[in-house]
Amino acid sequence: MGVALARLVQWTATGYGTRALETTPLNEAILKEIIMFAESFIYKHPQEAKYVFVEPLEWKTDLEPSAFESGYVVSATTVKSEESDENGQPLLFLSVPQIKVRSFGQLSCLLLIAKDTKLKEAQACIEANRNPVAKILGLNYNTMKEESSVLNILDKITKDDDTESEIKMKIAILLKQLDVYLLNHSLKHISLEIPLNPAAVKNDIELLKRFSGKGEQTALESIKYTSDYEYSNGCRAPPWRQILGEICYVLVKPHDVETLCITCSEEGVFLNGGKTDDEEINYERKGVIYKDLVTCLKEKSAIFSENMSKQQTRFNEELQKEKNQTNETPKKEAASALRKAIPGSDKSTLEKNKINFGKNNMIKRLEPSLNWKTTVDSKEHRTSLHEEKHGGRLEKSAPSVSPGKAQLVRKSAEKVEEIVSESSSESEEDEEPPDHRQEANADLPSEYWQIQKLVKYLKGGNQTATVIALCSMKDFNLAQETCQLAIRDVGGLEVLINLLDTDEVKCKIGSLKILKEISHNPQIRRNIVDLGGLPIMVNILDSPHKSLKCLAAETIANVAKFRRARWAVRHHGGITKLVALLDCAQNSAEPAQSSLYDARDVEVARCGALALWSCSKSYANKEAIRKAGGIPLLARLLKTSHENMLIPVVGTLQECASEENYRAAIKAERIIENLVKNLNSENEQLQEHCAMAIYQCAEDEETRDLVRMHGGLKPLASLLNNTDNKERLAAVTGAIWKCSISKENVTKFREYKAIETLVGLLTDQPEEVLVNVVGALGECCQEYENRVIVRKCGGIQPLVNLLVGINQALLVNVTKAVGACAVEPESMMIIDRLDGVRLLWSLLKNPHPDVKASAAWALCPCIQNAKDAGEMVRSFVGGLELVVNLLKSDNKEVLASVCAAITNIAKDQENLAVITDHGVVPLLSKLANTNNDKLRHHLAEAISCCCMWGRNRVAFGENKAVAPLVRYLKSNDANVHRATAQALYQLSEDADNCITMHENGAVKLLLHMVGSPDQDLQEAAAGCISNIRRLALATEKARYT
């Protein structure tokens, strides 16, 4: 971290030598990485987070004392952390505005408290602590050389004899790793920045002058240099400013804002301080740096942005002309920047790069032209495809399209296709990757030029020469990106796709073999779709030649990795044809089972399954596969012993099992039995996909029972012991989680010692695994025996540690698991000691409703089983107000869980008084008109408990909560009946409420419930009727006296 801050962070001098961080993208990127490191430190390295710094990190903060809640002693102007060092000094001390932090744990907590201002706090901390590593580990560490390795760190720190040396060593290594990461991350960031040069700036300004003048259609009113004198290097800035990389200064007058004074420099374009009264320029930067002048002006002027967008095509053409004219100019600035960035680079190396740059620019893209008759047919086919994409509207196609227009057409087509695709679970490669050509200054290998020569033979040779060229091209390492892009850059893709339309089988095979290899590249995939290659490949699936079918299906499998390609396969009838490939016996007179052993048939089916696997990431394609009869064929193929066949088959089923229709069909076809059988395979990838398919299907109770009946639980439990393959482990733990929803399965997992293994997986695992592991433990801990196992295996602490994470799914599962463990008093004591209840309470502020609801449910058993629960709840500053305010939520699950929490909170009289003051009665009354039985149940219980304080019974009547409660008695849910009867019994202590109940027909409904077998319901109903009757008798007596 020290090297990164010293060498990479950009500082500026501001008044009397005090240095501050500049507002640059690089600085912001470095600060964000440091924030991520510090934020996650407390739960990734809990032991090291307690280490006390040698000197505190001290800076001026904008945080107010009121932002700090539980865990801190807060006054009007000071804050002290309850956590302190061995001398009793707090690890965080705030005396407005100065703050001192002495541990990573407090640093993590501070960043969580800062929320939206964490970037500002991190900047202030770095500015005030220029060498934070020395303050954290001591000056001895600071004397070490920058290039010191981990071994040097070990040697330096282990010389100390104190007991903290091991923790200090770990922190030193973590900081060293962060330093290396920041250097690498910054290098990537810097490599993306292209420095401006005088020629490029001059071109931009001259072009903008052409688009300037009076009138609403012009982009600007005027643009001019501040100096007319131009130096020999093209710069107009004074020599002492050129040293800082500045090129020139321009005055720009947009139509809608005041005149802007702009500095153009090598690192970008920015606003300066403008001209002073003495007509001198204030060179100090004001605001952010933009990549070029046009981007800066678009940001500052809305009219400029609007008018430029209207004239963008013309501007781009003009700009391209200017660039072509100045392309021969040596890039002195780029060369100097390269020399600075790469130590040891000499002049000869830079000259070599310039030669290569010129050489690449001289290469012209050759138009594909075969001398065969089929070329015309291919062009006509692609023209018809183009017409189809545009909704049948005929468009005249030009012989060549400019890159800008081609990109515009491609993106508009993609937009239409994305709407049509109706995809649901698509996430893989849906974003358009940058379509980059070979680096202009790269040293290209000899293979690049050799492949380009072969493509020329493909274009101009006869059939024999074409076959020979294809064979020669196949001998290259086509998995290498340079070879793939060499084929594309010289127009080879068009030729290869044209060859697929010929009648020569050998040429088709050769072309498909090459396309299959190079289509692993995302850019090549998109180019194949743009050139209309997929419809041709789909047509080849009807070929009688099995080799052609296999190659076409495999190539489709590689290409259909993004949304538009999957749509194209379905649109041209590819799904039906691919499903037909799965029927191995369709051309055989032998029985179906026997034909599976025909190697060619097996390969055809395997390739078909592979293509369907890629296509099945789209919801519409899943439906098309089902309607084409794909499920019975996949079920039949699942019975084979060919592992290379089974992997794509199970992969397809796994993707499709996310849909309910498929899950029903999977049960009907008895696929679960074969999935369970293949869990015992030696192939890790097959095991992974089988477990993932079970995970998708096990939402259904019948499926969970089938997994148990066919003996699938034991192999799942045994696979937990193999933790090297994280993808497989995530799939296996997911299957165990879903299977654990059934109690019978939980009993089996306990027999197989799976719960102990799951507890061991709570640390040092990726989040994908942790989500499933914690979910499984949450289901298992619903039973007493399993809660004891988790506690005895030391599972409570890692579960509580996970409560500080940020993954939504993980937090939902962790809160459920902690809540399940809290039912047991001994486990609750551990949770309380680890501050778990406070962490659960803090999750009520989480923005995700599912997390809020799960945290509130978990708090219920915690409050029930904690010693002195009332005092514990009151100790959370602002906690009761937070709970009451959650009653304003729109989410039914959040409301039900909060009502359940209030039921437990209100059992303590002092807490009931506090929440009454916070307005719990009107908020509960407002929720009474609901049809959700779950909410009704817990709302009625909350109202019943809240009646125990002051005049709350009267207040519920005044807020019109009684009449809706009477209607709850018509529900079919017995829990709602019991809770409602108890609430009405409490409310009936008030005379006005009794009248309301009687008017709404409560007596008749309650009379039926007096005969209920539920004793609590009996007593509450009878008590309520008794109170109503007493009031009636009292009224009658008063009338006659």
Side-chain angles (χ1 to χ4, degrees), residues 577-811:
K577 293 178 182 180
L578 289 169
V579 170
L581 296 185
L582 301 180
D583 190 0
C584 300
Q586 63 179 351
N587 295 322
S588 174
E590 296 179 318
Q593 193 63 27
S594 303
S595 70
L596 287 174
Y597 296 95
D598 183 340
R600 286 190 176 183
D601 286 338
V602 169
E603 185 62 14
V604 170
R606 184 192 73 82
C607 296
L610 207 60
L612 287 174
W613 189 8
S614 293
C615 293
S616 63
K617 289 181 172 61
S618 157
Y619 170 75
N621 284 355
K622 291 174 188 175
E623 279 299 298
I625 293 169
R626 187 177 63 81
K627 290 176 181 177
I631 300 177
L633 294 172
L634 289 167
R636 192 181 71 182
L637 292 175
L638 202 54
K639 297 173 184 176
T640 69
S641 58
H642 301 277
E643 283 188 351
N644 60 345
M645 163 81 80
L646 288 169
I647 289 170
V649 168
V650 176
T652 306
L653 287 170
Q654 166 213 316
E655 286 289 344
C656 295
S658 60
E659 304 300 325
E660 192 174 348
N661 289 338
Y662 267 92
R663 292 199 289 271
I666 285 170
K667 280 190 295 183
E669 293 292 338
R670 299 185 176 181
I671 289 174
I672 299 296
E673 181 181 353
N674 291 301
L675 290 174
V676 169
K677 184 182 76 174
N678 288 312
L679 283 174
N680 296 308
S681 165
E682 295 297 321
N683 188 302
E684 291 189 1
Q685 192 179 3
L686 181 56
Q687 289 173 339
E688 176 192 335
H689 293 305
C690 286
M692 199 65 191
I694 291 172
Y695 165 75
Q696 296 278 15
C697 296
E699 294 280 353
D700 178 72
E701 185 179 359
E702 189 179 342
T703 302
R704 296 195 292 271
D705 294 339
L706 287 172
V707 174
R708 184 180 68 256
M709 288 165 52
H710 294 299
L713 301 181
K714 190 169 186 178
L716 283 173
S718 63
L719 286 172
L720 283 177
N721 297 311
N722 302 320
T723 59
D724 295 335
N725 186 333
K726 300 302 181 185
E727 289 79 9
R728 183 184 61 178
L729 186 60
V732 169
T733 50
I736 290 174
W737 172 21
K738 295 303 179 184
C739 289
S740 298
I741 297 171
S742 296
K743 290 185 178 180
E744 297 85 352
N745 292 348
V746 172
T747 305
K748 286 289 184 184
F749 283 131
R750 188 165 63 244
E751 289 177 17
Y752 301 141
K753 306 292 183 185
I755 297 171
E756 292 88 336
T757 312
L758 286 169
V759 171
L761 294 173
L762 285 173
T763 52
D764 300 324
Q765 296 298 336
E767 284 188 343
E768 295 80 9
V769 175
L770 285 173
V771 169
N772 297 335
V773 169
V774 176
L777 286 174
E779 297 297 339
C780 292
C781 286
Q782 301 301 318
E783 297 182 5
Y784 171 76
E785 296 88 344
N786 299 333
R787 291 195 288 269
V788 173
I789 292 172
V790 171
R791 173 170 54 80
K792 289 183 176 179
C793 291
I796 304 294
Q797 179 159 0
L799 282 173
V800 172
N801 289 342
L802 290 172
L803 288 172
V804 297
I806 56 174
N807 183 301
Q808 179 187 352
L810 180 57
L811 286 174

Side-chain angles (χ1 to χ4, degrees), residues 558-578:
N558 291 341
V559 175
K561 299 281 180 159
F562 63 103
R563 185 178 300 164
R564 189 157 50 93
R566 291 190 282 268
W567 175 86
V569 174
R570 183 179 75 252
H571 183 69
H572 294 283
I575 300 295
T576 307
K577 293 178 182 180
L578 289 169

Side-chain angles (χ1 to χ4, degrees), residues 74-106:
V74 183
S75 68
T77 58
T78 63
V79 175
K80 293 181 182 179
S81 65
E82 293 177 357
E83 191 180 3
S84 59
D85 62 11
E86 56 188 11
N87 298 321
Q89 294 295 320
L91 296 184
L92 182 145
F93 179 74
L94 167 64
S95 178
V96 179
Q98 290 294 125
I99 189 168
K100 295 180 181 179
V101 180
R102 301 181 62 198
S103 76
F104 276 112
Q106 289 298 327

Side-chain angles (χ1 to χ4, degrees), residues 169-194:
M169 175 193 72
K170 289 181 181 178
I171 292 175
I173 293 171
L174 289 171
L175 291 175
K176 190 71 181 176
Q177 289 171 350
L178 174 64
D179 207 10
V180 173
Y181 175 77
L182 288 176
L183 290 169
N184 292 333
H185 182 73
S186 303
L187 188 60
K188 290 178 185 177
H189 195 278
I190 292 167
S191 65
L192 296 174
E193 296 180 356
I194 303 171

Side-chain angles (χ1 to χ4, degrees), residues 972-991:
N972 296 321
D973 191 325
N975 291 324
V976 175
H977 290 166
R978 183 173 57 256
T980 305
Q982 290 171 340
L984 290 175
Y985 171 61
Q986 293 296 332
L987 290 166
S988 65
E989 298 288 336
D990 177 66

Side-chain angles (χ1 to χ4, degrees), residues 138-400:
L139 291 172
N140 289 338
Y141 179 85
N142 195 40
T143 58
M144 298 170 64
K145 294 182 179 178
E146 292 169 354
E147 63 271 14
S148 58
S149 64
V150 173
L151 290 175
N152 297 131
I153 296 170
L154 286 170
D155 180 62
K156 184 75 181 173
I157 294 177
T158 52
K159 286 179 182 178
D160 300 332
D161 295 329
D162 59 61
T163 54
E164 293 185 349
S165 61
E166 186 179 350
I167 293 177
K168 205 170 182 182
M169 175 193 72
K170 289 181 181 178
I171 292 175
I173 293 171
L174 289 171
L175 291 175
K176 190 71 181 176
Q177 289 171 350
L178 174 64
D179 207 10
V180 173
Y181 175 77
L182 288 176
L183 290 169
N184 292 333
H185 182 73
S186 303
L187 188 60
K188 290 178 185 177
H189 195 278
I190 292 167
S191 65
L192 296 174
E193 296 180 356
I194 303 171
L196 292 177
N197 59 69
V201 172
K202 186 175 182 179
N203 289 339
D204 283 353
I205 293 171
E206 293 302 321
L207 277 173
L208 287 171
K209 283 182 178 179
R210 298 180 198 174
F211 289 86
S212 301
K214 300 294 182 182
E216 294 180 357
Q217 300 303 317
T218 58
L220 299 167
E221 281 190 17
S222 65
I223 178 171
K224 62 180 181 179
Y225 293 104
T226 58
S227 171
D228 294 331
Y229 182 77
E230 183 177 333
Y231 291 88
S232 58
N233 60 0
C235 295
R236 294 174 187 255
W240 62 90
R241 300 302 300 180
Q242 290 184 33
I243 296 171
L244 301 175
E246 294 180 3
I247 298 169
C248 65
Y249 314 99
V250 288
L251 294 171
V252 182
K253 180 64 180 78
H255 289 289
D256 53 344
V257 294
E258 294 298 323
T259 301
L260 306 173
C261 191
I262 297 175
T263 299
C264 300
S265 69
E266 288 181 359
E267 62 176 335
V269 174
F270 55 86
L271 290 180
N272 56 43
K275 284 197 171 185
T276 63
D277 296 336
D278 301 330
E279 290 300 311
E280 295 292 330
I281 294 174
N282 179 0
Y283 298 112
E284 186 177 352
R285 178 163 63 84
K286 306 288 184 183
V288 298
I289 301 175
Y290 300 93
K291 66 176 182 178
D292 55 36
L293 194 55
V294 174
T295 307
C296 175
L297 292 172
K298 279 184 176 181
E299 186 69 26
K300 299 297 178 185
S301 168
I303 292 178
F304 176 84
S305 179
E306 182 183 348
N307 289 348
M308 282 302 295
S309 63
K310 293 176 183 176
Q311 304 185 43
Q312 191 67 47
T313 306
R314 183 185 158 200
F315 182 80
N316 286 344
E317 289 173 357
E318 295 279 354
L319 191 62
Q320 192 62 40
K321 285 180 185 176
E322 295 291 341
K323 284 184 179 178
N324 291 339
Q325 290 172 6
T326 59
N327 222 3
E328 302 297 327
T329 308
K331 305 278 190 297
K332 292 183 181 179
E333 291 81 359
S336 65
L338 186 64
R339 195 179 298 116
K340 290 176 185 175
I342 307 172
S345 63
D346 54 13
K347 189 175 180 181
S348 62
T349 308
L350 297 174
E351 290 299 326
K352 186 177 180 182
N353 287 337
K354 287 177 188 175
I355 293 168
N356 286 334
F357 177 76
K359 189 174 183 180
N360 287 339
N361 284 338
M362 290 169 65
I363 299 170
K364 292 183 179 178
R365 184 182 175 89
L366 300 176
E367 291 295 327
S369 60
L370 289 174
N371 293 331
W372 298 356
K373 182 182 177 182
T374 50
T375 307
V376 179
D377 298 333
S378 173
K379 287 181 179 178
E380 289 173 359
H381 176 83
R382 284 203 295 278
T383 304
S384 65
L385 172 68
H386 182 71
E387 291 169 6
E388 284 178 20
K389 282 187 179 180
H390 288 270
R393 188 176 70 250
L394 291 174
E395 294 184 4
K396 186 175 180 181
S397 58
S400 62

